[in-house]
Amino acid sequence: MTLSNLDPLLTPPKRLAAMGIIAAATKVEFGYLRDELDLSDSDLSKQLKALADADYLTSKRTGKGKTRKSWFSITNTGQQALHSHAAALRQLLEPATPAPTDESTLAV
Amino acid sequence: MESSPSDISPVDAANDLAILEQARSSVALNPVLDFGPLWYAPAFAATAMGISLAGRVDGAVTSAVFLAIGVIAAIAVSFHGIRNLGVLPRTTAKSVLAFVPMLITMWFVFAAWGTAVSTIGEDDFVPFWAALGWVLTTAFFVVVRQVVTAIRDRQPSLG
């Protein structure tokens, strides 16, 4: 397993946390994400835009004026990317498999 | 050239996996650990039980009407509140299990009220018991609020 197996888009911790929250929910509102992640509106918007541009998220706006809300849901592409990224992270934590020795090769 | 595990210092895999796990937990638990809309139903229903005690002055029909109004109000307020929640968790074992303490609390409150109602005879001063019951219910939910807030504060923060 190498670093190339990690998704560079999901490497920033805040973005990863946002993806984790959105993946665990059917839909998540912008304000909830902002409060949970303790991010500014502009910073969170930037993170979410990067994910939406990669087709990891879809967004939907509801309401008007003060009741206007933005909701985010994960796409199938996003689910697969997150799953692969998490698998890559888990494999990074596994101890390296020792290379086969000549002796073990001969035994087979 | 392939990178080796020694090259991965910028990525803290253990920390990143912990972030993902915290994110999942927060979505499953937060709606229950927030003393918000999901708690309105038991709070309303318990209050309705208290009002229904006062209704016993005029008989069982009035009592049932009060209870029905309370339960309908509880359901309406809960649904309105749930719609205003910022997150709609997926149905997972964890998110379902998070409701168990709430169900136990509801059962406890209902059982307490049921016992209180059954022990009060027609000759008792029912409004007094209803007022006392309402105060006790309020105090009980204040304690519940303190407990769920304390549990929530112990959750690791993603921020």
Side-chain angles (χ1 to χ4, degrees):
Chain A
M1 182 52 58
T2 66
L3 277 177
S4 62
N5 294 90
L6 295 172
D7 187 335
L9 206 56
L10 299 178
T11 306
K14 292 290 183 187
R15 201 181 290 163
L16 180 66
M19 271 295 274
I21 290 174
I22 296 167
T26 305
K27 60 178 183 175
V28 185
E29 201 263 319
F30 184 90
Y32 180 90
L33 280 171
R34 181 195 56 213
D35 295 344
E36 280 296 304
L37 300 173
D38 198 18
L39 290 174
S40 65
D41 285 5
S42 60
D43 195 4
L44 180 59
S45 293
K46 207 184 300 175
Q47 306 294 344
L48 294 176
K49 186 178 183 309
L51 294 169
D53 287 347
D55 194 30
Y56 286 4
L57 303 178
T58 57
S59 64
K60 186 181 176 183
R61 287 186 174 173
T62 60
K64 287 178 181 175
K66 285 185 177 178
T67 61
R68 190 169 187 175
K69 288 181 177 179
S70 295
W71 296 88
F72 297 89
S73 301
I74 196 164
T75 62
N76 287 336
T77 308
Q79 285 279 17
Q80 286 165 10
L82 187 62
H83 184 76
S84 301
H85 187 74
L89 288 171
R90 276 191 289 273
Q91 286 188 346
L92 280 175
L93 288 177
E94 288 173 1
T97 309
T101 60
D102 290 346
E103 198 175 301
S104 61
T105 309
L106 287 172
V108 175
Chain B
M1 180 181 166
E2 277 203 342
S3 55
S4 68
S6 61
D7 297 330
I8 61 168
S9 54
V11 177
D12 186 342
N15 185 57
D16 285 0
L17 286 170
I19 286 172
L20 283 176
E21 186 49 40
Q22 282 173 32
R24 286 194 196 101
S25 290
S26 73
V27 170
L29 299 178
N30 275 358
V32 177
L33 292 181
D34 280 331
F35 198 84
L38 295 178
W39 284 96
Y40 293 168
F44 258 90
T47 305
M49 293 283 274
I51 295 170
S52 75
L53 272 181
R56 282 170 64 89
V57 171
D58 296 324
V61 175
T62 315
S63 175
V65 169
F66 270 119
L67 190 58
I69 291 170
V71 170
I72 290 167
I75 292 169
V77 172
S78 291
F79 271 96
H80 178 71
I82 288 167
R83 280 183 60 198
N84 286 334
L85 280 176
V87 61
L88 185 62
R90 289 183 193 278
T91 307
T92 61
K94 198 167 196 171
S95 65
V96 172
L97 279 175
F99 285 88
V100 171
M102 186 184 287
L103 292 174
I104 291 171
T105 305
M106 285 175 71
W107 179 86
F108 180 82
V109 171
F110 281 10
W113 276 117
T115 305
V117 169
S118 68
T119 55
I120 295 173
E122 293 297 324
D123 295 332
D124 289 310
F125 183 43
V126 175
F128 166 76
W129 287 106
L132 180 63
W134 185 82
V135 169
L136 289 175
T137 304
T138 304
F140 177 77
F141 275 101
V142 167
V143 172
V144 171
R145 180 178 194 153
Q146 294 300 321
V147 171
V148 295
T149 303
I151 293 171
R152 186 179 179 181
D153 288 348
R154 286 176 55 195
Q155 300 289 314
S157 170
L158 283 164

